[in-house]
Every structure is written in C-alpha cells, then in structure tokens.
Amino acid sequence: MTPTPKSPAPAPAPPLYAPFAHLTAPGSALYRRTMQTFLTAKERFAVHLRPEDVHAALPAGERPAELDAVVNALDSLVKWGNLRADPDTARVTAVEDFYRKRFVYQLTQAGEAAEEALSAYDEALGRRGALQAVALHDIVTQLRALLVLGAEELPDPAKTYLALDALTSRFATLAENARAFMGSLQRTIDLHDVEEEVFLAYKDRLIQYLERFIQDLITLGGRIAQLILELEDGDVIAPLLRTAAAREAADASPEDAEHAEREAYARWTGRWDGLAAWFISRNGRDSQARLLRGRALGAIPQLLAVVRSLNERRAGRSDRSADFRTLARWFAEAPDDDARHRLWRTAFGLYPTRHLTVDADTLATRMARPVPAATPWAEADTLRISPQLRRTGSYERRGKPRKVEDRSEARHHLAEIAAKQAAETASARARLATDGATRLSALGDLDPLAFGLFLQLLGDALATWRPGMTHTSATSNDGSMEIRLTALGDGTTAEVTTHGGTFRGPDHIVEIIDLTERDSRR
C-alpha cells in the first residue's frame, strides 16, 4: 500500500502588525519607497511587478546600485506580509529556468491597508490648518435657514436634516482647522521645523491674516451668538433636532426605532451644545471664540518678538546666557585645575601683573622653575616693562577710530511716525467718545480708524454678554476706552456708515468713554 504523501504545512501567518515592521527596520527609506512604487503601479492598473521594474521605478537618488538590494528588500516585505511573491513562469524558456529563483510581486491587502494608514498619518502630521472666515459666513447662513424652517408649522424633515448636517459639518471643519492652525502657529513662534528665512518672508502676511480673521470673528461671532440665542429662546431648535433625529433613525428596524431615535437626538443635542459653547460664554466659562480671539491677539506681539530676536541675532548680538553655559561646560570638561586656571585667564583676562609680557626667556624660566598661579604679586619675580608700553600703554600702533554712524535722522523719522499714529488714535478716541448715553444709530459716519476701534470695543462688550442680560460694559485691551451697552426691546436697527460700506445691527443704547481724557482732567 502506497502511503499518501503529506501536504506541506502552510507557512505561519505574520504577526498582526507585521506590515508596519519595515518602518523601524534598517533601510526603512528603501522599504517605504518600494511600497510607494507598488501603490503608483496599482493606480496605473499594474498587478504584478518584477524586481527590475521596481529598480527602474525608484528615484535616481535613492536607487541602489545593485539589483540584489531591491530583491532582498522585496523578500523582506514578503516576509512581513506587505507583498506577495508568485513564481514568474512567463519568462521560462528552458527546464533550468524552473529551478531559478524568479518571482513577481504584488500588494497584499494588509500591505495596502498599512500604506493607507501611513498616508493618513503623514497628511494629519503635516496639516497646518487655517482660520476660515468664510466658514463663519456659512454658519450665519445655515442658522438663518434654521430660523426660517423653525417658523414653519411642519418643517420639511429632509430640509431640516440637510441644514443641520451642513451646519455641524461646517462648524466641525472650522473648529478642527482653528485647532490645527493655532498649533502650527505656536510651532512657528517657537521656530520649530521653520526656516528663519521662510518665517521672515511671510510674517507680514501672517499678521495681516490674523488681524483680518480677528475682525471677522468679532463681527460675525456676535451675530452667530445672537442667532443661536434666538433659536434657543424661542424654543425653535429642539423640535428641529427631534425632526433630524427622526429622519436619521427612519431606516432602523421597528423594534430598535425608538432607541435609535433617542440616540440620534442625543447626538444632535450634543453637537448643538458644542456649537453654542463655541460662540456663547456660559456658566462662568468663556466661549471658544473668545479664547481663540485672545490667543490670536496674543500671537501677534509674540510674532513681533520673534522678529526682534532674529534681527538681534543677525546683528551679531551675543546671547550672554548661552556663552556662560558654554563656558561652564568647558570648565566641567577641563582635565585638571591647571587647565581650569588657563581657561579662566583666557576667558576673563584677569592676569597677574607678572603675565603682562611673555617671551621665550620667560617661558624657559617658568619651565625651569614653575610659579604657582596663587603666588602673591609681592613675592613674584620682578617684571620688566618696555619703555614704549610705559609711554603709550600699548605695543600696537593705534589706527584710525571707527566712524560713529549718525542715527539722528532715523530716530527723528520714527518719532514723527509714532507721533502721527498717537494723534490719529487720539482723534479716533475723541470721535467715538459720546457725551453721555446715546443710541448706536446716532454715531453717524466713521472713518476707517475710528470704525476699527469701534468694532474692537463692540466685540469686547458682546463677548461679555450672557443670556438674559440687558446691560454690559467692557474696557479696551490698552485701558484707554470704556463702552457701556444696553439692549433695546423696540426691534429697531442701527446703521453706521463707513468708507467700506454700511454696518447694520440691532440698535442699542451705547456710552463710550475716553478714559485717557478723564484721567488727564484729574
């Protein structure tokens, strides 16, 4: 009876996360580039690649000189489960070719999944984000659409769901991009992974970008907060959230419909609460918009401080603390006390009087009879001083002194600019200051500088507004202006005309006080 031959045992499966092993293996750059070659080939609908195909597709600067290095890399990737090797029978022309090691390689499911995960990681790691002023306009539009839907007797479920979905999606993008941008901005301020030349090239655009977004956040943030309060106070948003939850749970099985609708309503409520907390300060906590505005405002002087530091570094000014740390390290690394004494004398120039001049005879004498560094001056050998040194105080011939640069004109120019800016700011404060309480609509036309100062004051006041409040006050960041704001219940609209257009909003009783003028009277 002929025994039945046993089938070969299957090769053991690689560990679960073995496709990521090539990241920490020696030669990881070649492995990553090889896997990217297979991904590129897949996009071109190529199924298999031979070693020579991979070798030819590698960039010239990263291509190994020998094909064997690529073959070894492919075999390692097969072992880790990133690739699969199949016998290459297409080029067999003789029996001897069957015994040669010829394979074609293709991506495995695990290898492709690992590369997709690495691509997502690289994209998230390199993401810098952006402060999206356009997203603020979109949020205002969607909130107004919800007010229109809430006014209907039976809001359309599809329109309600789409409006809420668009609102939360746009808000999530805004919040995520703001978080990523502020993180990248802090890395820029700390000069982490940032070239100094690149930073200096775009610093002005970055500061203008921050100022523009802060202005939009002040104006649109207040409008968004008001729309949110209108939706909440009028009990409009809760029915809309229930309608969206019911539509989302419509495809659930009958026995799970009620549970699915409760979970969907809880999710929509949490999203709305997050949106409201982003723009409205509640329960003693500042809104995220207010915190973002403060962080962006604080980033501008920090960026300017970095610029000053770089300019000082370029001007050749030394960092004394860094110099002393380096000197301390040299003292710690000195082999003995004699070396430390020499380092001390070299660094600080505190030589004993006998060391004013050193020549060959002096060195020979010291070698024959060393003099301890702690020898008092009175007990040391007599020092002979050159008549020229005694007469002129120096062995070197004095040259022409360096001409002192006259900077009086530049200082005068800077003083004129500072005086002009101070006068313009004082004029804007005087234009805005009101003689007692008045309506917002009575402010009249405002020039650009006065209007910008007015927006900052109005934003500071609205940021302190809480639900149920009818009166608030705030002080500008520099402490020069105070604004007192009181809400009106008559539904009137205020219009402030500027060179850039007309500013409209609910009318209020406003009182703006120039604190610098009041202090000067005292």
Side-chain angles (χ1 to χ4, degrees), residues 492-511:
T492 57
T493 300
E495 293 187 357
V496 178
T497 305
T498 68
H499 293 283
T502 302
F503 176 80
R504 296 182 179 88
D507 202 3
H508 288 73
I509 296 296
V510 62
E511 183 179 2

Side-chain angles (χ1 to χ4, degrees), residues 269-319:
T269 303
R271 295 169 186 170
W272 178 262
D273 291 342
L275 172 65
W278 220 84
F279 291 99
I280 300 176
S281 300
R282 288 175 172 171
N283 301 325
R285 293 185 178 181
D286 291 335
S287 64
Q288 291 297 319
R290 181 180 177 86
L291 295 176
L292 177 62
R293 187 182 66 179
R295 180 68 186 86
L297 284 171
I300 295 176
Q302 291 180 5
L303 286 170
L304 296 177
V306 173
V307 174
R308 287 195 299 270
S309 176
L310 292 178
N311 289 335
E312 291 177 356
R313 189 185 306 173
R314 288 185 165 193
R317 296 181 60 176
S318 62
D319 186 352

Side-chain angles (χ1 to χ4, degrees), residues 191-202 310:
L191 292 180
H192 289 170
D193 303 327
V194 178
E195 296 291 338
E196 294 181 5
E197 298 293 339
V198 176
F199 170 76
L200 293 174
Y202 89 108
L310 292 178

Side-chain angles (χ1 to χ4, degrees), residues 119-347:
S119 299
Y121 174 80
D122 292 337
E123 181 181 357
L125 194 64
R127 183 179 183 183
R128 299 189 66 87
L131 297 176
Q132 299 173 311
V134 177
L136 296 172
H137 290 275
D138 295 342
I139 291 174
V140 171
T141 302
Q142 296 301 328
L143 289 173
R144 286 174 176 168
L146 289 176
L147 280 174
V148 174
L149 288 170
E152 298 178 0
E153 185 176 354
L154 292 175
D156 184 81
K159 293 181 180 180
T160 302
Y161 178 83
L162 291 176
L164 283 171
D165 184 66
L167 173 64
T168 54
S169 299
R170 204 70 178 101
F171 168 68
T173 304
L174 169 68
E176 178 62 23
N177 277 283
R179 183 198 62 79
F181 178 82
M182 297 314 296
S184 63
L185 178 61
Q186 187 60 48
R187 292 195 297 271
T188 301
I189 293 174
D190 297 336
L191 292 180
H192 289 170
D193 303 327
V194 178
E195 296 291 338
E196 294 181 5
E197 298 293 339
V198 176
F199 170 76
L200 293 174
Y202 89 108
K203 63 176 177 61
D204 293 332
R205 288 179 294 168
L206 179 59
I207 292 175
Q208 294 173 4
Y209 178 65
L210 286 172
E211 291 176 341
R212 185 172 65 253
F213 177 79
I214 292 168
Q215 185 174 358
D216 290 337
L217 186 61
I218 291 173
T219 55
L220 295 176
R223 180 58 181 160
I224 291 173
Q226 183 179 1
L227 289 171
I228 291 174
L229 291 175
E230 290 180 12
L231 287 166
E232 292 181 347
D233 294 343
D235 197 21
V236 177
I237 190 61
L240 294 178
L241 296 177
R242 291 192 184 93
T243 301
R247 187 179 186 277
E248 185 175 334
D251 294 333
S253 58
E255 60 273 11
D256 295 333
E258 185 178 353
H259 177 70
E261 185 173 347
R262 283 199 306 268
E263 287 189 346
Y265 179 71
R267 285 195 300 271
W268 281 112
T269 303
R271 295 169 186 170
W272 178 262
D273 291 342
L275 172 65
W278 220 84
F279 291 99
I280 300 176
S281 300
R282 288 175 172 171
N283 301 325
R285 293 185 178 181
D286 291 335
S287 64
Q288 291 297 319
R290 181 180 177 86
L291 295 176
L292 177 62
R293 187 182 66 179
R295 180 68 186 86
L297 284 171
I300 295 176
Q302 291 180 5
L303 286 170
L304 296 177
V306 173
V307 174
R308 287 195 299 270
S309 176
L310 292 178
N311 289 335
E312 291 177 356
R313 189 185 306 173
R314 288 185 165 193
R317 296 181 60 176
S318 62
D319 186 352
R320 183 170 298 179
S321 61
D323 293 342
F324 277 119
R325 285 194 297 268
T326 302
L327 184 60
R329 186 174 68 253
W330 289 351
F331 273 106
E333 295 173 352
D336 49 34
D337 287 342
D338 291 338
R340 295 184 184 94
H341 282 298
R342 289 194 299 272
L343 179 59
W344 171 270
R345 292 192 296 269
T346 303

